[in-house]
Amino acid sequence: MNAEEFWKIERARGTAADPTDAEDIAEQATVLLAGYGPRDILGAERVLRELMAASDRAPLRAAAWVISGGSPCFDEGFDYFRGWLIAQGREVFEGVVAHADRLAELPEIRASAPEGIEPDGEELLGIARDAYERATGAELPEDAFTFDRPAADPDLDFDDRERMTALLPRLTALYPGRP
């Protein structure tokens, strides 16, 4: 499975009872992937890992930091945020990875800003694993492929409000009391 085929999981948004619920989208995506053969499901896991690596960028990490109210947005929390971003579909994912401040345009972000609700797509990160198990009855082999992680972007000082505002003007305006 290549990236073009992987993004067909966007159909899962259309079959989810609530197209804004990342958990429901993940379940529907798992069902879709389980209809593929084991080799394609492994390919989906490879593409998912590539998307996670491509989105491991300092501006996006900074955006997640602002949205989370300065909570540590490293490791799992940032992974779950990017899982949610993938659940939003290819166009949104690619646009936000290219320009993190575009998050401020998303209705889910605008609606959740006053309550401080953080996007969470933890379940999406396991769709290939779950689909493989459903399709084969076995666990997804962890050593099925190798993956080179690209070099990370330089770190930002997330506590530097002036720099964060310059980098993410629309997003920081939605979260005025946040770091």
Side-chain angles (χ1 to χ4, degrees):
M1 178 176 291
N2 61 28
E4 197 67 38
E5 186 71 22
F6 174 85
W7 280 112
K8 290 182 180 179
I9 67 163
E10 288 178 302
R11 295 180 305 210
R13 288 180 66 80
T15 59
D18 179 357
T20 64
D21 181 356
E23 187 173 350
D24 193 8
I25 294 167
E27 174 58 29
Q28 298 307 315
T30 299
V31 169
L32 288 171
L33 283 177
Y36 286 86
R39 185 176 178 173
D40 285 329
I41 297 171
L42 288 172
E45 176 68 11
R46 180 189 47 76
V47 172
L48 184 59
R49 290 182 185 201
E50 289 171 354
L51 293 172
M52 292 295 288
S55 61
D56 191 359
R57 307 191 40 85
L60 190 57
R61 193 176 288 269
W65 177 265
V66 169
I67 291 168
S68 72
S71 296
C73 199
F74 299 98
D75 303 323
E76 288 145 358
F78 186 48
D79 288 349
Y80 302 161
F81 173 80
R82 291 179 293 154
W84 171 85
L85 187 58
I86 292 167
Q88 304 315 297
R90 184 178 197 168
E91 184 178 331
V92 170
F93 175 82
E94 290 176 351
V96 168
V97 169
H99 303 285
D101 202 36
R102 287 186 180 169
L103 281 162
E105 299 168 6
L106 301 181
E108 293 88 355
I109 295 296
R110 297 185 71 76
S112 65
E115 292 87 29
I117 299 169
E118 298 175 41
D120 183 345
E122 176 181 4
E123 295 81 9
L124 193 105
L125 302 179
I127 61 174
R129 179 193 65 235
D130 295 343
Y132 191 89
E133 191 169 316
R134 287 182 190 184
T136 67
E139 290 187 17
L140 186 136
E142 290 296 321
D143 62 348
F145 51 88
T146 59
F147 180 73
D148 293 326
R149 187 173 193 87
D153 279 349
D155 290 331
L156 290 172
D157 179 2
F158 298 144
D159 292 323
D160 183 344
R161 181 68 180 181
E162 187 175 314
R163 181 136 185 244
M164 295 295 272
T165 300
L167 178 66
L168 305 162
R170 295 178 296 165
L171 194 59
T172 55
L174 280 177
Y175 297 91
R178 302 272 176 107

